[in-house]
Amino acid sequence: MRKSKPIAVMVQLGKRLLPLVAGAAILTLTGCWDSDEVNSLAIVMSAGFDRTEDGDIELILEIVAPEQKQSGKPPSGDQKKGDGKTIIRYAVGDTVADAQGRLQFKLPRTIYWGQLQVLVVGESLARDGFREQLDYLVRDNEIRLRVMPFVTHGKVREFFESPFLLEQTKADFLKGEAARVFHKPLTISRLVQRLSTNDNAAILPFIDVPQKGGDGGGEPYIKGYAVFNRGRMVGTMTGNSFFAAKWVMNQLKNDVQTVDLGIGSPSRVTFITIASNSRLIPSRKKGEWQMMIRVDSELSMIQNTSRLNMADPANARLLEAAVAKRIREMVKQSVHDAQRMHADIFAFGEAINRENPRGWSKLEPHWKSYYPGMEVRVEAGVNLRRIGMNSTPLGQQQKELTKP
């Protein structure tokens, strides 16, 4: 009987502690004590930074609009059913944080940055340098570093007020554009890394907003790259220079281009680059650093206006040689443009550092003056992988087929 007494004491103690344990368990199910309800938040999908004519900072936010319950009668005027729609709000301040505070004062809901997906910077602010304003985003622990930054031609307001017929939000539109144009879209994390280097050279997608009635019908699109040097935008890369830059940085994605074979008229062949890989190979010649860019690509022919049968290996080699020549010319021009802007956007310095850290330590103090005149060579290897369903050009008889 004496041995059972401790057991009885433990049972009594357990009965007394049971309510406390149950209460603690219930408290763990109540959620965070300082959390905000979703219907009390102004959820930001995209943001814009710009410089006003007075020198202030303008903040533009695209905020998810609350879903409106529809009445029995149909909407009138320009009222639309609001599933997934957003609203645009503006504020001006001395800094982005100051503008955000002023805008918060006007909004009935708390601004929430946790769902921010894209950042659009106006050209004026980009040319002045927006690194100081970017500090607000990277300092806020709500904001993810995979936010995608862009630079827009003209004012940010023009972009946010432009039509976007195929997507419901500006954030969805820009994310779709970046996924369509680039193999791997740029992020704020990568931008911060590039701006932290010695020369602060970087690139961002450059958006153009055509005027209504002109080419593009007023809908924005990614036109090229905005080039940054020492934290400020110094120029743009568009057209062939833009395509070549994507080649060097392994950012090609289903890009369509045309090459002229130069064997009569017509002799143009249009192709898609289905795979591409580039390498930077630094070397020294007579004590001077040089850079070789090696580009290897695989093509898929999508239109053949020449009289050549590309199933013939000799004709395929002719096309491959023409494309390789075009790649060399375009890449050389793109590198020349970057050197002219004194912006090491292709990270030549990093390649030399990886190859020869001791040599880079001697070159680095003189890099800013050495880079613009650095000798660069380009080698290109091309492989025609696909020619489509028809080996014979449409409408050509077998006797009309010629060889180079």
Side-chain angles (χ1 to χ4, degrees):
M1 296 297 293
R2 292 182 179 179
K3 293 182 179 179
S4 63
K5 190 174 181 179
I7 298 176
V9 173
M10 293 177 63
V11 172
Q12 292 295 329
L13 182 60
K15 290 181 178 180
R16 293 179 181 179
L17 293 177
L18 182 60
L20 297 177
V21 175
I26 293 175
L27 289 176
T28 61
L29 301 177
T30 59
C32 300
W33 65 271
D34 62 344
S35 65
D36 293 320
E37 296 291 340
V38 174
N39 58 7
S40 68
L41 301 177
I43 301 175
V44 179
M45 300 293 293
S46 57
F49 297 171
D50 210 347
R51 177 84 69 186
T52 66
E53 295 181 357
D54 297 331
D56 295 326
I57 300 297
E58 183 177 39
L59 173 66
I60 302 99
L61 298 183
E62 181 186 29
I63 301 171
V64 176
E67 182 178 352
Q68 303 293 330
K69 293 184 178 180
Q70 299 296 318
S71 59
K73 55 185 180 180
S76 59
D78 59 356
Q79 183 182 358
K80 298 180 180 179
K81 191 172 181 179
D83 294 341
K85 298 299 182 179
T86 57
I87 58 176
I88 307 297
R89 291 294 181 265
Y90 308 87
V92 175
D94 296 330
T95 63
V96 168
D98 183 46
Q100 190 265 357
R102 295 170 184 264
L103 182 57
Q104 180 63 82
F105 185 75
K106 304 175 184 178
L107 293 177
R109 296 189 176 196
T110 302
I111 296 176
Y112 177 66
W113 294 90
Q115 295 298 318
L116 180 67
Q117 299 178 22
V118 298
L119 169 67
V120 184
V121 180
E123 186 174 358
S124 176
L125 179 60
R127 291 189 179 276
D128 288 342
F130 72 99
R131 182 169 47 186
E132 295 81 0
Q133 308 309 324
L134 189 64
D135 178 82
Y136 174 73
L137 293 185
V138 298
R139 193 175 295 275
D140 193 322
N141 60 3
E142 288 183 349
I143 299 174
R144 307 168 185 174
L145 291 180
R146 61 174 178 266
V147 173
M148 291 183 288
F150 300 82
V151 174
T152 183
H153 174 67
K155 293 295 183 181
V156 174
R157 279 201 181 209
E158 296 176 1
F159 167 76
F160 278 95
E161 293 173 355
S162 62
F164 48 111
L165 303 178
L166 298 180
E167 301 292 344
Q168 292 191 355
T169 69
K170 290 295 184 185
D172 290 341
F173 166 75
L174 285 179
K175 286 173 58 181
E177 273 288 282
R180 179 184 64 83
V181 176
F182 304 110
H183 176 68
K184 186 177 181 181
L186 298 170
T187 63
I188 281 186
S189 176
R190 179 58 179 165
L191 174 62
V192 171
Q193 292 176 12
R194 292 298 304 165
L195 292 181
S196 299
T197 60
N198 290 335
D199 55 354
N200 296 328
I203 55 171
L204 288 180
F206 183 68
I207 307 169
D208 190 21
V209 184
Q211 297 296 321
K212 292 184 178 180
D215 184 19
E219 296 184 30
Y221 67 102
I222 295 178
K223 186 176 182 178
Y225 280 131
V227 179
F228 287 80
N229 182 32
R230 300 182 184 180
R232 300 174 184 271
M233 178 179 168
V234 293
T236 60
M237 283 187 171
T238 59
N240 289 337
S241 188
F242 174 47
F243 283 120
K246 291 173 62 180
W247 240 312
V248 177
M249 292 182 282
N250 296 317
Q251 285 283 25
L252 284 181
K253 186 174 182 181
N254 298 327
D255 290 78
V256 178
Q257 297 189 50
T258 301
V259 65
D260 194 330
L261 301 182
I263 54 172
S265 180
S267 61
R268 294 185 176 89
V269 175
T270 302
F271 62 91
I272 290 179
T273 303
I274 56 178
S276 180
N277 180 60
S278 69
R279 293 176 295 153
L280 302 180
I281 306 175
S283 61
R284 299 187 71 173
K285 182 178 181 181
K286 297 181 180 179
E288 298 292 328
W289 282 100
Q290 299 177 337
M291 185 64 64
M292 184 183 77
I293 303 175
R294 173 70 190 187
V295 181
D296 294 293
S297 301
E298 296 183 357
L299 311 181
S300 174
M301 185 178 66
I302 59 177
Q303 185 174 359
N304 181 12
T305 69
S306 72
R307 297 176 179 269
L308 300 181
N309 180 357
M310 291 304 167
D312 187 332
N315 295 336
R317 287 194 294 269
L318 177 66
L319 173 60
E320 292 169 350
V323 175
K325 178 181 178 182
R326 179 176 175 82
I327 292 175
R328 290 193 297 269
E329 294 173 349
M330 291 172 57
V331 170
K332 285 182 180 179
Q333 182 60 48
S334 184
V335 172
H336 175 73
D337 292 341
Q339 289 179 312
R340 176 177 50 82
M341 292 183 277
H342 296 255
D344 183 16
I345 62 174
F346 301 120
F348 287 174
E350 293 181 10
I352 296 175
N353 188 24
R354 289 192 301 268
E355 177 71 18
N356 190 333
R358 182 175 297 180
W360 171 247
S361 64
K362 298 179 181 180
L363 178 62
E364 184 178 12
H366 315 286
W367 179 243
K368 292 180 180 178
S369 60
Y370 185 83
Y371 166 73
M374 184 179 184
E375 182 180 347
V376 179
R377 296 181 294 113
V378 181
E379 292 185 358
V382 178
N383 186 8
L384 179 61
R385 299 286 293 181
R386 305 171 188 168
I387 62 173
M389 297 293 292
N390 298 325
S391 59
T392 304
L394 185 64
Q396 299 295 326
Q397 300 296 328
Q398 188 66 28
K399 61 181 180 180
E400 294 180 323
L401 298 179
T402 60
K403 293 185 178 181

